[in-house]
């Protein structure tokens, strides 16, 4: 559905894909499976980043071996490192192939400062940055010719059209790929941006991917199964989602089934997986 609606790449095993809940065996299997099924039609980017450089190297070697087109790498989180350590960490994986560096301090607890990116930008394998700090930071990079994808759906319209980002690595596209494609490639469109904002805000009421998983289940696209610690949004929010779908138009959302409000008993929570 993403391919048919003009999406150019897919991240496998990122936060939205619950990479943090997978074993590395699952991770690499899913990357290889996606490449095998869809690699001829879309760029497959494997999230092979880790806060352990050893793990990031090993996972990236395996990911490229099973055919991924590029890697997504986070800076070491929780057990944070120095600026010099960050550069050394990324240098250890950049030689393997095209790499997108992902800066999301709200999750990692540490910003990747521009000095790190400027030092790494000399490497031809740096495909670009997924940047979540904001549009001032986006402009710092794009003004120097560094490729940036917005990492914030609520800012991506302005990132694209006012600050020269090339696009967005999007959560919302999992639901409305055609509208997100239009937002990124059909010219400045504040009206469409405003139309999508209630959906975007709903998706991020709780940490991603809680909202997305709830939405996909109610659209009949994914089974209503949650790996803990994720649990579905409460009933009031599930009702709100159905209203948002009806307001935007069911035809813009993935899947063919009618959207429905699921009951608490419809969801399965899995603690050992």
């Amino acid at each position: 559905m993403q391919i048919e609606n003009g999406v150019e790449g897919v991240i496998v095993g990122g936060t939205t894909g619950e990479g943090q809940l997978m074993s590395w065996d699952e991770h690499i299997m899913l990357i290889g499976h996606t490449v095998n099924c869809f690699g001829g039609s879309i760029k497959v980017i494997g999230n092979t980043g880790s806060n352990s450089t050893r793990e990031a190297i090993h996972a990236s070697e395996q990911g490229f071996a099973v055919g991924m087109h590029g890697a997504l790498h986070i800076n070491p989180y929780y057990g944070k490192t120095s600026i010099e350590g960050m550069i050394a960490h990324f240098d250890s994986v950049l030689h393997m192939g095209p790499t997108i560096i992902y800066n999301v301090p709200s999750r990692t607890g540490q910003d990747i400062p521009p000095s790190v990116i400027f030092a790494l930008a000399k490497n031809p394998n740096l495909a670009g940055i997924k940047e979540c700090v904001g549009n001032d930071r986006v402009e710092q990079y794009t003004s120097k010719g560094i490729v940036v994808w917005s990492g914030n759906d609520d800012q991506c319209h302005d990132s694209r059209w006012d600050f020269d980002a090339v696009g967005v690595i999007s959560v919302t596209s999992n639901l409305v790929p055609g509208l997100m494609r239009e937002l990124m490639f059909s010219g400045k469109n504040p009206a469409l941006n405003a139309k999508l904002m209630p959906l975007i805000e709903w998706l991020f009421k709780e940490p991603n991917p809680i909202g997305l998983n709830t939405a996909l289940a109610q659209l009949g696209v994914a089974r209503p199964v949650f790996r803990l610690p994720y649990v579905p949004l409460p009933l009031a929010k599930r009702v709100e989602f159905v209203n948002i779908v009806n307001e935007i138009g069911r035809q813009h959302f993935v899947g063919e089934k009618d959207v429905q409000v699921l009951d608490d008993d419809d969801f399965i929570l899995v603690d050992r997986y």
Side-chain angles (χ1 to χ4, degrees), residues 38-272:
F38 306 111
S41 304
I42 197 168
K43 292 288 185 289
V44 177
I45 312 300
N47 172 30
T48 54
S50 172
N51 58 351
S52 160
T53 304
R54 176 180 63 87
E55 285 191 7
I57 291 170
H58 185 57
S60 299
E61 287 173 341
Q62 291 186 314
F64 281 115
V66 299
M68 71 182 185
H69 301 105
L72 181 74
H73 278 282
I74 201 82
N75 51 307
Y77 50 88
Y78 192 75
K80 297 177 282 189
T81 186
S82 63
I83 298 299
E84 294 78 12
M86 253 191 244
I87 293 171
H89 174 81
F90 290 127
D91 270 338
S92 296
V93 293
L94 269 168
H95 70 277
M96 295 184 199
T99 298
I100 299 170
I101 290 177
Y102 179 18
N103 186 32
V104 57
S106 64
R107 287 190 181 271
T108 64
Q110 186 176 30
D111 182 31
I112 303 175
S115 60
V116 169
I117 300 303
F118 294 146
L120 298 170
K122 302 163 190 172
N123 192 310
N125 278 340
L126 182 65
I129 315 301
K130 179 186 178 185
E131 183 56 73
C132 294
V133 163
N135 286 331
D136 288 344
R137 181 69 63 84
V138 170
E139 190 173 36
Q140 275 187 273
Y141 296 141
T142 58
S143 64
K144 291 181 168 56
I146 296 172
V147 171
V148 178
W149 289 271
S150 173
N152 297 329
D153 285 349
D154 61 343
Q155 298 178 348
C156 69
H157 174 269
D158 293 348
S159 297
R160 174 77 173 100
W161 300 110
D162 295 333
F163 299 96
D164 295 326
V166 297
V168 60
I169 296 177
S170 174
V171 175
T172 309
S173 178
N174 284 275
L175 299 178
V176 286
L179 293 181
M180 290 303 294
R181 168 84 190 185
E182 184 179 346
L183 195 68
M184 290 294 97
F185 296 108
S186 295
K188 201 167 186 177
N189 193 338
L192 177 57
N193 192 49
K195 182 178 180 179
L196 289 170
M197 207 52 64
L199 173 62
I200 294 169
E201 291 172 353
W202 182 90
L203 277 169
F204 292 96
K205 288 291 186 185
E206 295 290 351
N208 181 52
I210 294 168
L212 178 62
N213 285 352
T214 304
L216 290 172
Q218 295 204 149
L219 289 166
V221 174
R223 289 179 297 166
V225 178
F226 277 68
R227 288 186 178 194
L228 290 172
Y230 298 128
V231 297
L233 288 176
L235 181 59
K237 289 297 175 187
R238 303 200 295 265
V239 172
E240 186 180 334
F241 175 70
V242 172
N243 294 333
I244 290 171
V245 171
N246 291 331
E247 185 69 28
I248 293 174
R250 176 63 182 92
Q251 70 275 16
H252 295 297
F253 285 76
V254 294
E256 298 177 355
K257 297 179 181 177
D258 290 338
V259 64
Q260 59 181 318
V261 178
L262 295 180
D263 295 325
D264 290 345
D265 291 343
D266 292 326
F267 290 95
I268 300 170
L269 307 183
V270 183
D271 56 4
R272 300 186 71 175

